Amino acid sequence: MTQVIDGKRISAEIKDELREKVTQYKEQGITIKLAVIQVGNDPASSVYVNNKKKACAYIGIESLAYELPEETTEQVLLDLIAELNAREDVNGILVQMPLPKHMDEQKVIEAIDKDKDVDGFHPMNVGALSIGRKGFVSCTPFGIIQLLKRSGIEIRGKECVVVGRSNIVGKPMAMLLLRENGTVTICHSATKDLKEVTKRADILVVAIGKPKFITAEYVKEGAVVIDVGIHRNENNKLCGDVDYDSVAPKTSAITPVPGGVGPMTIAMLMYNCVNSVEI
Ligand code: GUN
């Protein structure tokens, strides 16, 4: 029987735990504040930013929203970040990506105080993850670890294959699986025989940004498959990087799209905000 991993349920569970924790903090006089900055009005970014604000409201985190016009200069954004870095009442700073083309994303990420970088994108946090130090962890891969753990899937000693090597998902995913004592392989566009590698996976994480790319012949019988992709198909329906209908029957567990990895990103952002108090 295939276990369909319910990201909606697990993310709701995490948000409820955090809400409880925030209530306790409030009783101790500790409040949590997240600054969310959006530059321009990309419709997808606006949806994400609104969902982040809603999650904050549910959990009891105060959110400060900054909506800057598309033509904002990089310096104005850097000045705003510096101001938020200096504010003691602000615990987290999130700059919604992508930024307009005239801005250097890496420079903006590095301008955020590492102790307020709830996205886990700052090089100091990326480095901390790789050497097992405390720090913020990128939300999507962090959420995937929670999905696995809360679904009773053991990582220790497993063959873990990550397809995709982005800074936000693939690379931190590999580091996290390694931290959980998995045996980890990262595949990318220059991998010679992708199918041969993915077929070895006990746990296969796919983050390549190509709709329905992973079909049944890429997957070992009984594997756990985690699909990070999200696309609209020709009928305007959501689908992932994995061809769910052909792959699911072969797996022991799989995440659906929507309702798998997607809801976990915001839940773990909230987790990072709440935990910023202790960092
Ligand atoms: N754009 C798409 N995903 C993300 C994310 O997780 N964080 C930020 N800041 N921007 C994004």
Side-chain angles (χ1 to χ4, degrees):
M1 260 298 274
T2 301
Q3 176 188 3
V4 179
I5 299 174
D6 187 348
K8 255 181 111 166
R9 181 185 61 76
I10 296 172
S11 67
E13 193 177 287
I14 292 172
K15 284 191 266 184
D16 283 339
E17 289 165 13
L18 293 170
R19 188 174 150 114
E20 188 79 17
K21 203 164 173 188
V22 169
T23 308
Q24 286 165 12
Y25 275 139
K26 279 189 183 154
E27 283 162 9
Q28 299 165 39
I30 301 167
T31 54
I32 300 166
K33 203 175 276 177
L34 171 69
V36 180
I37 306 171
Q38 183 182 354
V39 187
N41 44 18
D42 171 60
S45 289
S46 300
V47 172
Y48 289 135
V49 165
N50 269 329
N51 288 339
K52 286 169 187 176
K53 285 188 217 159
K54 269 194 243 164
C56 282
Y58 179 75
I59 288 165
I61 296 173
E62 221 182 294
S63 60
L64 291 176
Y66 295 87
E67 284 155 28
L68 308 180
E70 178 84 18
E71 59 279 7
T72 303
T73 63
E74 187 180 87
Q75 194 55 50
V76 166
L77 176 59
L78 293 173
D79 290 346
L80 172 60
I81 291 170
E83 180 194 316
L84 294 167
N85 281 342
R87 271 178 65 169
E88 276 188 19
D89 63 324
V90 172
N91 305 81
I93 303 170
L94 181 145
V95 180
Q96 186 63 31
M97 303 293 171
L99 286 169
K101 286 193 177 52
H102 64 277
M103 291 192 186
D104 177 345
E105 284 189 351
Q106 199 55 35
K107 191 171 170 190
V108 170
I109 288 168
E110 289 177 31
I112 299 170
D113 180 340
K114 72 168 178 49
D115 295 328
K116 298 190 180 189
D117 167 42
V118 284
D119 262 325
F121 293 168
H122 192 287
M124 288 294 284
N125 284 318
V126 175
L129 171 63
S130 75
I131 60 169
R133 292 262 200 98
K134 241 179 142 161
F136 290 113
V137 176
S138 183
C139 303
T140 301
F142 201 12
I144 291 170
I145 296 292
Q146 287 299 315
L147 283 180
L148 294 170
K149 287 190 169 173
R150 290 174 188 244
S151 304
I153 296 161
E154 190 162 18
I155 302 167
R156 185 182 182 84
K158 296 282 174 66
E159 286 290 336
C160 303
V161 175
V162 179
V163 190
R165 57 170 155 183
S166 70
N167 290 340
I168 294 180
V169 182
K171 283 183 211 157
M173 186 76 255
M175 293 313 304
L176 285 166
L177 291 165
L178 181 61
R179 190 165 90 175
E180 299 293 334
N181 298 304
T183 301
V184 185
T185 307
I186 308 178
C187 299
H188 44 78
S189 49
T191 297
K192 280 224 174 79
D193 189 349
L194 180 62
K195 221 176 271 185
E196 187 270 322
V197 185
T198 57
K199 273 196 92 100
R200 283 191 244 141
D202 299 313
I203 298 173
L204 178 62
V205 181
V206 188
I208 42 177
K210 291 184 184 164
K212 298 191 185 183
F213 183 87
I214 297 293
T215 50
E217 68 255 34
Y218 285 81
V219 180
K220 180 171 78 174
E221 192 74 42
V224 173
V225 175
I226 305 293
D227 187 353
V228 184
I230 185 147
H231 315 275
R232 282 203 184 271
N233 71 8
E234 57 286 355
N235 307 319
N236 211 32
K237 261 188 73 182
L238 291 173
C239 69
D241 290 349
V242 175
D243 180 28
Y244 187 89
D245 293 340
S246 82
V247 171
K250 244 183 144 173
T251 65
S252 59
I254 186 166
T255 57
V257 176
V261 172
M264 295 303 292
T265 302
I266 290 187
M268 298 319 286
L269 172 69
M270 297 297 109
Y271 177 93
N272 281 348
C273 289
V274 175
N275 274 54
S276 68
V277 171
E278 286 162 22
I279 258 175

